[in-house]
Amino acid sequence: MNNNGLPFDIEKIIEDARNELEKITRKDELEYWRIKYFGRKGVFAILTSKIPELSQHLRPEAGRKINEAKNLLNELLQQKKIIVESAQTYNDTGLNYTLTGLKPDYGYFNPITLVSRDIVRIFQNLGFGVHTGPEIETDFYNFEALNMPEDHPARDMWDTFYLDAERKFLLRTHTSPVQIRVMEKLKIPFRIIAIGKTFRRDAFDASHSPVFHQVEGLMVGYDITFSNLKAVLIFFLRELFGSNVRVRFLPSYFPFTEPSAEISISCVICNGRGCQTCGFSGWIEILGAGMVHPEVFLKAGIKEKNITGFAFGAGIERIAMIKYRIDDIRQFYLNDIRFLTQFE
Ligand code: PHE
C-alpha cells in the first residue's frame, strides 16, 4: 500500500467511515459516528494532532489529505442526516411527514351556476342590475298582474303547484312575477335581470323537471323600442354562444307582452344544417320575449302614458344543455361527481 510516506492510510479511513455510515438507520447512531470522526478526540482530531510529528516535507500533504477527507465525510454526514431524520419521523408515528401530500379533492360548480354567472356577467356589462324575487308567490304576481285574470286560458301554459285550497299562494311558474315587483320598486328608467328557481307540475324525465331555473330580463324607460330588445338579445346570445351564432325572431304569444316573439339561435351542434338536437330544423328555440303589455304597467302601478319596455325570459337548464351538450336535464340534480367534475 502506498501512503506517500504518510503514517496513516487516509483511503482506508474514508472507506471504513463510509461503510459504517451506510449501516446507520437511527439518529443516535449517527451522533456516535459523528463524534467518532469529528469529535474533539475523534479520528480527525488525532490525525491532525500528529501532523507536527511528521517530517517537514510531509506536513502540507498530510494536512491537505486530512482536510479533503473531512470535507467528503462531512458532506456524506449531512446527506445521511436528512435521510435518518425523515425515516425517524416515520418510525415514531407511523406516518412519514416527508412524503408529498395527497391533494384534497375540491368542489366543482354545477353547470347551472356556471351559466348563471355567465349571464349575470354579460348583463352587468350592459348596465343591468341583478334582482331576485320569492319562490312562493301569490296569484296576483304570478298571473293576474301579468295580464292573466282568473280563468284566463293562458294560465294553462303553466301547470301550477298551488299551496292552498283557495289557490292564492303558489310556487312561481316563471320568473316574470319579478317584473311586477321590480316595477313597483324601482324608479324609471331601469334595466334588470332576475335569475332563480321556477316550478311546474311536469314529469321528471330527460327534458322536464318540476323545478328548474329561469332568467328574466326587463328594461323600462321613455324610449324603449323593439329594436332595443333585438339589439340586447342578439348581443347577449352571441356573447353566450359565440359570435358566429345567428338569431331568429318569430311572432309568438304571451299575455304580458305585445307584440311577443319567440327567439331561436342557429343550432350550435350542426351550425344550422340540421341534426338530432335541433330536430333537423337548424334552429334551437331559446327565449320568449316582447314589449311589456300596457295592462302590465297599469297592474304594477305605472300610470304614465309615454313609458315602454321590453321583457324576456329563458330557461337556464336549456341554455346549459345546449352550451355543454347535455342530453338529460336530470343530470343537473343528481349530484353525480363524475358529471359535475366535467365543467369549468
Ligand atoms: N315567462 C315566460 C315563460 O315562462 C317567458 C317570457 C318572459 C316571455 C318575459 C316574454 C317575456 O314562458
Side-chain angles (χ1 to χ4, degrees):
M1 207 183 300
N2 181 5
N3 293 332
N4 296 330
L6 296 176
F8 52 82
D9 183 352
I10 198 78
E11 299 301 333
K12 176 82 169 73
I13 290 170
I14 291 171
E15 197 193 312
D16 289 348
R18 287 184 94 139
N19 286 336
E20 290 164 28
L21 195 60
E22 193 75 36
K23 292 189 194 97
I24 287 173
T25 57
R26 294 199 322 260
K27 256 177 172 171
D28 56 338
E29 293 171 325
L30 189 63
E31 182 60 5
Y32 281 129
W33 184 92
R34 189 190 66 79
I35 291 167
K36 176 175 174 185
Y37 287 93
F38 292 96
R40 218 157 34 83
K41 292 175 184 161
V43 173
F44 287 117
I46 291 166
L47 287 180
T48 307
S49 73
K50 296 266 162 63
I51 290 176
E53 295 167 17
L54 299 177
S55 57
Q56 190 81 40
H57 75 280
L58 287 176
R59 287 178 203 169
E61 173 73 354
R64 199 176 55 73
K65 289 236 152 166
I66 291 168
N67 272 335
E68 271 175 19
K70 276 171 85 171
N71 287 341
L72 173 69
L73 290 181
N74 188 45
E75 181 74 22
L76 296 176
L77 169 64
Q78 299 311 322
Q79 284 172 16
K80 188 74 182 188
K81 212 166 154 178
I82 292 167
I83 294 166
V84 166
E85 277 172 3
S86 63
Q88 192 83 8
T89 315
Y90 184 85
N91 289 342
D92 288 351
T93 63
L95 295 170
N96 186 350
Y97 298 129
T98 65
L99 287 175
T100 337
L102 293 175
K103 258 202 190 155
D105 209 357
Y106 49 86
Y108 293 81
F109 289 111
N110 191 289
I112 298 300
T113 307
L114 296 174
V115 167
S116 299
R117 288 180 166 195
D118 280 349
I119 293 171
V120 165
R121 176 181 47 76
I122 294 165
F123 280 104
Q124 277 183 333
N125 286 344
L126 289 171
F128 282 65
V130 180
H131 286 248
T132 55
E135 291 166 7
I136 294 176
E137 267 297 4
T138 61
D139 179 90
F140 176 78
Y141 285 103
N142 196 82
F143 290 125
E144 193 169 333
L146 291 165
N147 197 25
M148 282 175 281
E150 217 182 317
D151 296 330
H152 193 292
R155 287 185 175 210
D156 295 345
M157 288 166 80
W158 303 278
D159 287 311
T160 310
F161 284 116
Y162 286 98
L163 298 176
D164 59 336
E166 291 74 44
R167 300 195 156 198
K168 189 168 186 296
F169 294 100
L170 46 79
L171 297 178
R172 65 177 178 192
T173 60
H174 49 179
T175 43
S176 297
V178 185
Q179 286 187 35
I180 308 297
R181 293 181 174 278
V182 167
M183 285 193 266
E184 287 175 342
K185 205 167 71 182
L186 295 189
K187 209 171 148 293
I188 296 166
F190 64 81
R191 48 191 193 266
I192 64 99
I193 59 164
I195 294 182
K197 288 195 175 71
T198 49
F199 307 84
R200 291 180 194 177
R201 288 181 51 170
D202 277 336
F204 191 45
D205 61 29
S207 50
H208 297 87
S209 167
V211 52
F212 60 103
H213 299 75
Q214 281 193 338
V215 54
E216 192 83 8
L218 178 66
M219 183 164 184
V220 175
Y222 296 93
D223 46 12
I224 308 298
T225 68
F226 201 91
S227 297
N228 298 126
L229 167 64
K230 284 186 76 175
V232 166
L233 290 184
I234 291 170
F235 178 84
F236 163 59
L237 292 170
R238 290 199 171 145
E239 283 289 302
L240 197 61
F241 290 107
S243 53
N244 298 330
V245 102
R246 278 161 288 130
V247 182
R248 183 183 76 173
F249 289 71
L250 290 184
S252 185
Y253 172 76
F254 297 101
F256 32 92
T257 46
E258 181 61 33
S260 302
E262 116 188 1
I263 291 127
S264 304
I265 56 168
S266 52
C267 181
V268 294
I269 314 283
C270 63
N271 193 25
R273 277 185 294 277
C275 68
Q276 197 94 47
T277 302
C278 59
F280 300 97
S281 72
W283 296 97
I284 298 179
E285 196 193 323
I286 200 104
L287 277 152
M291 302 306 292
V292 178
H293 195 292
E295 193 61 26
V296 173
F297 281 134
L298 286 179
K299 283 283 199 284
I302 295 169
K303 304 227 160 57
E304 276 181 82
K305 278 276 167 294
N306 55 342
I307 287 184
T308 57
F310 68 72
F312 60 86
I316 308 277
E317 277 79 354
R318 194 168 160 73
I319 293 173
M321 286 170 84
I322 294 163
K323 196 170 154 101
Y324 295 114
R325 312 194 174 185
I326 297 160
D327 61 9
D328 192 325
I329 195 172
R330 290 169 291 197
Q331 291 287 0
F332 295 121
Y333 317 111
L334 295 179
N335 282 330
D336 185 334
I337 200 75
R338 294 166 303 179
F339 172 76
L340 291 174
T341 53
Q342 293 179 59
F343 309 98
E344 256 170 294

Coordinates of all heavy atoms in Angstrom, one line a residue, residues 3 7 9 22 55-56 58 85 89 94 99 127 135 145 155 176-177 227 231 236 239 242 258-259 278 289:
N3 N 1.2 5.0 0.8 CA 0.7 6.1 1.5 C 1.4 7.4 1.3 O 1.4 8.3 2.1 CB 0.6 5.8 3.0 CG -0.4 4.6 3.3 OD1 -1.3 4.5 2.5 ND2 -0.1 3.9 4.3
P7 N 2.1 8.3 7.7 CA 2.0 7.2 8.6 C 0.5 6.8 8.8 O 0.3 6.1 9.8 CB 2.5 7.9 9.9 CG 2.2 9.3 9.8 CD 2.2 9.6 8.3
D9 N -3.3 5.6 6.5 CA -3.9 5.3 5.2 C -5.3 6.0 5.1 O -6.3 5.5 5.6 CB -4.1 3.8 5.0 CG -4.7 3.4 3.7 OD1 -5.1 4.3 2.9 OD2 -4.7 2.2 3.3
E22 N -23.1 3.8 6.1 CA -24.1 3.1 5.3 C -25.1 2.4 6.1 O -26.3 2.3 5.9 CB -23.3 2.2 4.4 CG -24.1 1.6 3.3 CD -24.3 2.6 2.1 OE1 -23.4 3.4 1.9 OE2 -25.4 2.5 1.6
S55 N 7.9 14.6 9.4 CA 9.0 15.4 8.9 C 8.4 16.5 8.1 O 7.4 16.4 7.5 CB 10.0 14.5 8.1 OG 9.2 13.9 7.1
Q56 N 9.2 17.6 8.1 CA 8.8 18.9 7.5 C 8.1 18.7 6.1 O 7.0 19.2 5.9 CB 10.0 19.8 7.3 CG 9.7 21.2 6.9 CD 9.3 22.1 8.1 OE1 9.9 21.9 9.1 NE2 8.4 22.9 7.9
L58 N 6.5 16.3 4.7 CA 5.3 15.5 4.6 C 4.1 16.3 5.1 O 2.9 16.0 4.8 CB 5.4 14.2 5.3 CG 6.3 13.2 4.7 CD1 6.4 11.9 5.6 CD2 5.8 12.7 3.3
E85 N -33.4 11.5 9.6 CA -34.4 12.3 10.3 C -35.8 12.0 9.7 O -36.8 11.9 10.5 CB -34.1 13.8 10.3 CG -33.1 14.1 11.4 CD -32.6 15.5 11.3 OE1 -33.0 16.2 10.4 OE2 -31.7 15.9 12.1
T89 N -38.9 10.1 11.7 CA -40.3 10.6 11.8 C -41.3 9.5 11.6 O -42.2 9.3 12.3 CB -40.5 11.7 10.7 OG1 -39.4 12.6 10.7 CG2 -41.8 12.5 11.0
G94 N -45.6 6.3 12.7 CA -46.3 5.5 11.7 C -46.6 6.3 10.5 O -47.2 5.8 9.5
L99 N -43.2 12.7 3.0 CA -43.8 12.3 1.7 C -44.7 13.5 1.2 O -45.2 14.3 2.0 CB -44.8 11.1 1.9 CG -44.1 9.8 2.1 CD1 -45.2 8.7 2.4 CD2 -43.3 9.4 0.9
G127 N -75.0 47.1 -18.1 CA -75.6 48.0 -17.1 C -76.9 47.5 -16.5 O -77.6 48.3 -15.9
E135 N -89.8 32.6 -4.2 CA -90.2 31.4 -5.0 C -91.6 31.1 -4.7 O -92.3 30.5 -5.5 CB -89.3 30.2 -4.6 CG -87.8 30.4 -5.1 CD -86.8 29.5 -4.5 OE1 -87.2 28.5 -3.8 OE2 -85.6 29.7 -4.8
A145 N -101.3 40.1 -12.3 CA -100.6 41.4 -12.7 C -100.0 41.2 -14.1 O -99.6 42.2 -14.7 CB -99.6 41.7 -11.7
R155 N -103.4 30.7 -18.6 CA -102.8 30.1 -17.3 C -102.5 28.7 -17.6 O -101.7 28.1 -16.9 CB -103.9 30.3 -16.2 CG -104.0 31.7 -15.7 CD -104.9 31.7 -14.5 NE -104.9 33.1 -13.9 CZ -105.1 33.3 -12.6 NH1 -105.3 32.3 -11.8 NH2 -105.1 34.5 -12.2
S176 N -91.3 35.8 -14.3 CA -92.0 37.0 -14.7 C -92.6 37.8 -13.5 O -92.7 39.0 -13.6 CB -93.0 36.7 -15.8 OG -92.4 36.2 -16.9
P177 N -93.1 37.2 -12.4 CA -93.6 38.0 -11.3 C -92.5 39.0 -10.8 O -92.9 40.0 -10.3 CB -94.0 37.0 -10.2 CG -93.5 35.6 -10.7 CD -93.4 35.7 -12.2
S227 N -86.5 47.5 -31.3 CA -85.1 47.5 -31.8 C -84.1 47.3 -30.6 O -83.1 46.6 -30.7 CB -84.7 48.8 -32.5 OG -85.5 48.9 -33.6
A231 N -81.4 44.3 -30.2 CA -80.0 44.6 -30.0 C -79.5 43.9 -28.8 O -78.4 43.2 -28.8 CB -79.8 46.1 -30.0
F236 N -76.5 39.5 -26.3 CA -76.4 38.5 -25.3 C -76.2 37.1 -25.8 O -75.3 36.4 -25.3 CB -77.8 38.5 -24.5 CG -78.0 37.3 -23.6 CD1 -77.1 37.0 -22.6 CD2 -79.1 36.5 -23.8 CE1 -77.4 35.9 -21.8 CE2 -79.4 35.4 -23.0 CZ -78.5 35.1 -22.0
E239 N -72.6 36.7 -27.1 CA -71.7 36.6 -26.0 C -71.7 35.2 -25.4 O -70.6 34.6 -25.1 CB -72.0 37.6 -24.9 CG -71.6 39.0 -25.2 CD -70.1 39.2 -25.2 OE1 -69.5 39.0 -24.1 OE2 -69.6 39.7 -26.2
G242 N -71.2 32.4 -28.7 CA -70.1 32.6 -29.8 C -70.6 33.6 -30.8 O -71.8 33.6 -31.2
E258 N -96.7 42.5 -25.8 CA -97.4 42.7 -27.1 C -96.6 43.8 -27.9 O -96.5 44.9 -27.4 CB -98.8 43.1 -26.8 CG -99.6 43.4 -28.1 CD -99.8 42.1 -29.0 OE1 -99.8 41.0 -28.4 OE2 -99.8 42.3 -30.2
P259 N -96.1 43.5 -29.0 CA -96.0 42.1 -29.6 C -95.1 41.2 -28.8 O -94.2 41.6 -28.1 CB -95.5 42.4 -31.0 CG -94.6 43.6 -30.9 CD -95.3 44.4 -29.8
C278 N -81.5 19.8 -33.1 CA -82.4 20.8 -33.5 C -83.6 20.3 -34.2 O -84.3 21.0 -34.8 CB -81.7 21.9 -34.3 SG -80.9 21.2 -35.8
A289 N -90.0 36.6 -25.5 CA -89.8 38.0 -25.2 C -90.9 38.8 -25.8 O -91.8 38.3 -26.5 CB -88.4 38.4 -25.8

